[in-house]
Amino acid sequence: MDDLRDKYIDLIANAGDEASLEDLRVQAVGKKGEISLKMRELGKMTPEERQIMGPKLNALKDEINTALSAKKEALADAALNERLKAEWLDVTLPARDARVGTIHPVSQVIEEVTTIFADMGFSVAEGPQIDTDFYNFDALNIPGHHPARAEMDTFYMHRAEGDNRPPHVLRTHTSPVQIRSMEEHGAPLRIICPGRVYRADYDQTHTPMFHQVEGLAIDKNISMANLKWVLEEFFSAYFGTTVKTRFRASHFPFTEPSAEVDIQCQWKDGSVVVGEGDDWLEVLGSGMVHPKVLAAGGIDPDEWQGFAFGMGIDRIAMLKYGIPDLRAFFDSDLRWLRHYGFASLDVPTIRGGLSR
Ligand code: PHE
């Protein structure tokens, strides 16, 4: 029996992997293993022999089982050590960039604008970007022959021969939403409409697609004074400083009287600071809604009046965040904007800063 013990203890010690260890277990203590067979022989022994051999065999079985599990653990440890040696991690390598998406500056400004006007009781209205020339022009008192149609450099939608739907355009301003909102809600009305508009124009301050926000307030006893107050409240909240405004007489077919609105600013070393100084910068067109426009929207001009304005969103975004070229918003990627320190793009990464 000592031979048997020495044989298996030796074999177990030299087993190279878990599979051969399992073979050894079956050979030694498995159902038909050598030790199990010996145990079966106990039955044929005399009681005296059995009393001696029984405990010995049990002890041997225990010893072999213990050796097997010790070896099994050792093999697993060795395997883990091998893996650890092969798969190592260089914790001194710089971390990979965590790419964090950010909201587009124009979207952010639209949100800021919406919040400020919401505080003054304006709700948000929307209209289609492809609209009929009726909503974009006629209903706004811009008839077919009117020079404003040419001035606006309108993109017309292609029409196949025989297509007799009304002509459609890419809206040249957000003003058509005035008409759609009047039709839908009637008076009184207090809405803004931020959105994309299109004109065939391209230079440092013009892109073929840009953003406007339309404002429209219709009620009884509305005047230009209300318009001026609303705009000054808006600009002061938006720029975070008191901003004076100046009205300049102007002409729009859809307002009477009409005014262009300038905000107070100062040019300092080639850049503009809003809310100080004696310079003025044009930021929007406005006026009292023309009676014909009210009527086109189904509102009785003898009973109601209103003011309207249309402001360039990209323009006021450039002013607030110091971006000199409008094309940067739509042509280049966001790294370019970061270069100009656009605040909303300075998002923390998990390393606590931007790497570019
Ligand atoms: N729609 C005009 C434009 O695009 C702006 C405007 C809106 C003027 C409302 C007056 C009233 O230039």
Side-chain angles (χ1 to χ4, degrees):
M1 211 157 72
D2 281 347
D3 288 351
L4 203 58
R5 176 194 172 275
D6 292 347
K7 171 179 149 194
Y8 279 110
I9 293 300
D10 198 44
L11 282 172
I12 290 169
N14 290 319
D17 53 46
E18 284 194 42
S20 36
L21 200 62
E22 175 61 12
D23 288 345
L24 284 173
R25 190 189 64 77
V26 174
Q27 253 182 64
V29 294
K31 259 190 196 154
K32 289 178 185 164
E34 261 187 289
I35 291 165
S36 311
L37 292 179
K38 282 244 180 307
M39 283 178 140
R40 266 184 228 169
E41 285 168 19
L42 287 173
K44 296 176 199 152
M45 293 177 188
T46 65
E48 292 76 18
E49 280 177 318
R50 203 183 303 147
Q51 230 161 39
I52 300 167
M53 287 306 285
K56 274 196 171 181
L57 278 170
N58 272 329
L60 176 57
K61 190 178 174 186
D62 285 350
E63 191 182 352
I64 287 184
N65 274 328
T66 310
L68 280 166
S69 41
K71 181 66 182 181
K72 191 170 177 181
E73 228 170 275
L75 282 173
D77 275 359
L80 182 62
N81 279 335
E82 278 307 307
R83 253 186 71 194
L84 287 177
K85 257 189 259 169
E87 301 171 13
W88 62 286
L89 197 67
D90 184 354
V91 292
T92 65
L93 276 178
R96 291 202 184 100
D97 255 3
R99 299 199 159 226
V100 183
T102 55
I103 190 169
H104 192 281
V106 170
S107 305
Q108 181 179 310
V109 168
I110 289 176
E111 278 175 26
E112 292 174 21
V113 168
T114 305
T115 307
I116 298 169
F117 279 110
D119 278 349
M120 292 191 272
F122 287 78
S123 46
V124 174
E126 281 188 322
Q129 292 175 42
I130 300 174
D131 212 339
T132 59
D133 66 350
F134 171 78
Y135 281 108
N136 196 78
F137 295 122
D138 302 76
L140 290 162
N141 194 33
I142 315 176
H145 61 268
H146 199 283
R149 286 208 180 191
E151 276 162 30
M152 281 196 173
D153 298 317
T154 312
F155 289 112
Y156 280 85
M157 302 304 287
H158 174 75
R159 272 204 303 179
E161 216 173 306
D163 183 348
N164 48 17
R165 288 175 298 176
H168 281 67
V169 299
L170 293 182
R171 68 179 181 197
T172 57
H173 49 181
T174 41
S175 301
V177 184
Q178 286 189 31
I179 307 294
R180 290 179 172 277
S181 302
M182 289 186 228
E183 283 178 346
E184 198 177 331
H185 304 291
L189 193 61
R190 226 185 270 187
I191 53 121
I192 58 162
C193 167
R196 291 188 186 144
V197 300
Y198 303 84
R199 291 180 202 176
D201 221 348
Y202 188 68
D203 60 35
Q204 198 180 348
T205 52
H206 298 92
T207 51
M209 185 279 294
F210 60 105
H211 299 81
Q212 284 189 335
V213 57
E214 194 80 7
L216 176 66
I218 295 175
D219 213 321
K220 303 196 167 167
N221 303 317
I222 291 247
S223 74
M224 296 286 276
N226 301 124
L227 170 63
K228 186 160 168 108
W229 182 85
V230 163
L231 291 176
E232 287 195 353
E233 282 295 300
F234 166 73
F235 285 118
S236 300
Y238 177 73
F239 287 107
T241 177
T242 307
V243 180
K244 287 197 194 126
T245 61
R246 180 176 80 169
F247 280 24
R248 264 181 304 106
S250 183
H251 172 77
F252 298 102
F254 31 93
T255 45
E256 183 57 39
S258 302
E260 250 144 356
V261 177
D262 301 338
I263 53 175
Q264 175 199 12
C265 70
Q266 182 166 28
W267 289 95
K268 263 189 196 164
D269 312 321
S271 62
V272 63
V273 183
V274 175
E276 333 180 330
D278 319 310
D279 294 324
W280 297 97
L281 199 82
E282 184 194 321
V283 283
L284 60 88
S286 66
M288 296 303 292
V289 181
H290 196 289
K292 283 189 180 170
V293 173
L294 289 171
I299 290 177
D300 181 358
D302 292 330
E303 210 182 325
W304 304 92
Q305 314 89 53
F307 66 71
F309 60 85
M311 176 164 58
I313 291 179
D314 316 293
R315 167 66 74 84
I316 62 164
M318 290 166 79
L319 284 175
K320 184 161 173 180
Y321 297 108
I323 295 161
D325 189 330
L326 183 60
R327 290 168 294 196
F329 276 142
F330 313 120
D331 285 3
S332 44
D333 70 20
L334 293 180
R335 273 170 289 189
W336 201 92
L337 289 178
R338 282 194 185 118
H339 173 75
Y340 285 97
F342 192 89
S344 74
L345 300 173
D346 287 340
V347 289
T349 68
I350 49 170
R351 279 193 291 145
L354 284 170
S355 58
R356 268 165 298 174

